Amino acid sequence: MSHEQFLTDNIKLPNNDMEVLRKHFSQCFDKDGKFQFEKFKQNLTEKDIAFSAESYGLDWLGKSYARLLASDPATTLLKPDTKHNQQQENINAENLLLKGDNLEVLKHLVGGYYQAIKMIYIDPPYNTGSDGFVYQDNRKFSISELSQLAGIDKEKAKRILDFTQSKSNSHSAWLTFMYPRLYIAKQLLKDDGVIFISIDDNEVAQLRLLMDEIFGEENFVAQAGWQKVYSPKNQAKHLSNDYEYVLIYSKLIKDFQIGLLPRTEEMNKRYSNADNDPRGPWKSGDLVAAGERKGGHYIIANPKTGKEYDVPEGKHWAYSESSMKQLMADNRISFGINGDSFPSSKQFLSEVKQGRVAYSLFSYKEFGHTDEAKKDFIKLFGDEGRTIFETLKPLRLIKMLTKIAVANRSDLILDFFAGSGTTGDAVMQLNAEDGGSRRVSLVQ
């Protein structure tokens, strides 16, 4: 690609070069699909290039170290649990449970699962500012090694090493922890894949910026609020903290298709079939639109009573006169049960989406809540289950996200903060319900 192409202000697709950049450097495109050359330059690995221009982005102490960890090769080996795998019930199993540092495991997975995973769900440690999250790092670099490998001066290298060895729980520590894991996770996703990340108020703002940088602004799907409790906390000091978030990013937004959730009973109750139309239940739709339009005024006559109708001034019929005649001939215009109402269109249940788009607010009634998750866990493990895990995600949350991801057939799902194994349980239950053969890999 020429230098002039990089500097083009109005980049238009299709363009093979741009498609390659979009696939491998999606983080360098803004939400409008425009290529950000300054951000691209920051991703170049040539240490002898020095760019002084500034651009919008996220920076923190340890960022260069985090990028080094993302590209640094694994220093471990995967060892199969031969005894477990050879048991009769496990011989044909296609699911994986991997134990170890999840960054190391992710690096191993890239070899066999590069661009192979349809859906990733993670519930990473939350950085609450207390001891809930503490950055632990067993990588050993000297100041000179880090300076050379990360392309930074020795003073900054020393500051980073001091910081990574201090068991910090700062925003910088959390971002340094998350960056390499999310960077590798992106490599694992299929082009039509999607990642869901549970997060709370403490890091949601930083995570949005981090995901924009790694996945690209244009691949942002939604920041959904999840109602994690079913009753407000009246003892709260300020507001009752009833919500967490689920950040949703696609690998490539142009390839991603959002899945529909099942229609609710309430939605279907709006349809009836008072005239016994052979096409089934229907509901009334408006035939009138706002504003004047040429040809938008004409007479509609009720074929049974002869009564005539037109729209008032400032309105127009939503269809042309010829289209309206076709609808009338096809019995798609209703004049009410008694035949004396203003005309409306017949919208058939069989012709609408056989599902619904999820709201960006996940209610506990549909997606479950933490108390439900805890009770389910105690059913499995008895009273000991009360203290094994502090926080749990409900099965319904993961099952609904799997439907939104359109993870069907034999798609592969990954959770590299597996915790109590909710993702694995949810996938297997969903397979049992719909006959699917989805596979799941968990990293613990």
Side-chain angles (χ1 to χ4, degrees), residues 311-360:
V311 291
E313 293 298 322
K315 306 282 187 179
H316 68 270
W317 292 114
Y319 298 93
S320 67
E321 189 170 6
S322 60
S323 295
M324 190 72 80
K325 288 179 179 178
Q326 291 176 2
L327 293 172
M328 293 277 288
D330 197 26
N331 190 27
R332 288 178 177 268
I333 303 298
S334 170
F335 293 89
I337 296 175
N338 299 320
D340 57 359
S341 299
F342 191 85
S344 61
S345 65
K346 295 170 71 172
Q347 299 178 351
F348 292 93
L349 177 59
S350 61
E351 296 175 353
V352 300
K353 286 181 179 179
Q354 296 308 298
R356 60 189 168 84
V357 175
Y359 298 133
S360 59

Side-chain angles (χ1 to χ4, degrees), residues 63-98:
K63 183 175 183 179
S64 55
Y65 184 75
R67 294 177 64 176
L68 174 60
L69 292 181
S71 58
D72 199 35
T75 59
T76 57
L77 294 173
L78 288 180
K79 178 184 177 182
D81 187 341
T82 306
K83 182 179 179 181
H84 174 87
N85 295 341
Q86 289 180 346
Q87 293 176 11
Q88 188 61 40
E89 64 269 27
N90 300 327
I91 288 176
N92 297 318
E94 296 186 18
N95 301 313
L96 291 176
L97 173 61
L98 303 105

